Amino acid sequence: MTPNNSSRPLTFKGGIHPSKDGKALSRAAAVREAPLLAEYQLIVQQNVGAPPELLVKAGDELKKGQLVAKAGGFVSVPLHSPTSGKVKEISRIPGPMGVPVQAVIIVADGNDEWGELMPPLDWKTAEPQAVRDRVRDAGIVGMGGAAFPTHVKLSPPPDKKIDCLILNGAECEPYLTADHRLMVEFPEKVLRGAALLGRALGVKDIFIGVEVNKPDAIEILSSQAAGFGVKIVALQVKYPQGAEKHLISAITGREVPTGGLPMDVGCVVQNVGSTAAAADAVLEGKPLIDRIVTVTGEPVKTPGNWRLKLGTPVAEAIRFAGGVTCEPGKVILGGPMMGFAQKSLEVTVMKNTSGILLMKKDDIIQYQSTACIRCGKCLDACPMNLQPGSLSAAIESEKFDLAAKNNVMDCVECGSCAYICPAHRPLVQHFRRAKAEIRNRSKK
Ligand code: SF4
Ligand code: SF4
């Protein structure tokens, strides 16, 4: 397959262009290794799906990479120690969603010594099932933010014929540059991982979609891609270009049906970070214990990209970046569009923490929401062809059946409608509430 026939960078219908992209703060900052901390606070559930089952208790000695929790089911992944040391306690710490979560508190011994690694596999000859098993055993999830177990996406049901793997290198969220630096500094790892995941799925076509605001990444990946059977696709800069359905639409022209999944149109989408982690797992036998995180925002003294171990407190990550030049008005895990504001700096880095963004007080504008003026701007912005204004009105009137009928479950919570809305309607909050309500009702 050749990508959508066009000489111009590809894109999807709808979406927005956020006024401030903030990537200049950190895009040139090479990835730096973080110094070893005295203590890590490893949140136990870092995946969507079943929580992993703890295997350790206070007082246990750990090696780096040692299994700390095993997968709690098929849609679950194991968890591994980010360093060598001793379990101080199993505790509850502030979680990224504002409620306390279970965590393993590990006191580092300062040696950062690996335990026994899994045996390396040959990337050219590894069996598809061996790749899937290794990706699962290494605890890999969607590192772009979704945290969905990667091995599940590599195991489509037999009736779904998958012919295309798409890697998301769009990194369309403002301010974030972790994937950009990964592609520029570790292109071979991304490409080998792409070939491995393609082998696991048995696909011929493997694409990496990269927005044109990363010309160095496009150039370096393109110069090596053919040797791995991978094609690099230049994408227009638009939000949310990296969402699964929009990547598929832009690159293949296929449209995932309402209520459907990428596999319904023969596609699987993976993040480039997860793909590089798969390469580490298969080729070096390493589990996922750290990741590249963009620590950025105007208040940060030295914005940049850091390789942080899982369990690193946000406060320490900010300290690595030189601290702050002014008191931040908001701290967000992830980007400004889909990230989550944090009440506590004690929250720690997880497998899906792509960024730590500090915003200035002046940049936090508290809008007063007013009535919908029926301008229709949200209709144009919505990449899922929804009608955000009328959906929101239905939800405000508690008409959840109507919202369901009008496909609120297709909302990817990208925030494009809320960003563009002149009445500052709390649209995404409405859609999240409706989706939770509809899911609860379907369980009864
Ligand atoms: S309705 Fe959902 S998918 Fe559409 S723009 Fe709003 S948040 Fe994004
Ligand atoms: S953009 Fe806002 S004001 Fe305009 S139609 Fe949509 S919800 Fe209403």
Side-chain angles (χ1 to χ4, degrees), residues 29-92:
V31 177
R32 289 202 271 170
E33 298 291 328
L36 193 63
L37 293 172
E39 186 174 292
Y40 293 89
Q41 303 183 355
L42 189 64
I43 292 174
V44 174
Q45 179 150 22
Q46 305 204 14
N47 61 274
V48 166
E53 296 171 16
L54 261 187
L55 299 172
V56 297
K57 59 184 183 320
D60 285 356
E61 305 270 356
L62 293 173
K63 292 287 188 213
K64 179 172 164 180
Q66 186 175 325
L67 200 60
V68 164
K70 65 176 185 178
F74 176 61
V75 186
S76 182
V77 290
L79 185 66
H80 303 80
S81 178
T83 190
S84 54
K86 192 182 244 187
V87 177
K88 181 172 146 192
E89 59 181 326
I90 312 296
S91 179
R92 294 190 86 75

Side-chain angles (χ1 to χ4, degrees), residues 328-347:
K330 199 185 256 188
V331 177
I332 297 171
L333 279 194
M337 298 299 292
M338 289 189 81
F340 288 90
Q342 299 300 309
K343 287 186 197 148
S344 167
L345 298 188
E346 289 171 45
V347 67

Side-chain angles (χ1 to χ4, degrees), residues 378 381-384 386 388 391 410-418 428 431:
C378 53
C382 180
M384 297 306 296
L386 300 177
L391 271 176
D410 279 357
C411 170
V412 294
E413 299 173 21
C414 67
S416 298
C417 53
V428 181
F431 305 147

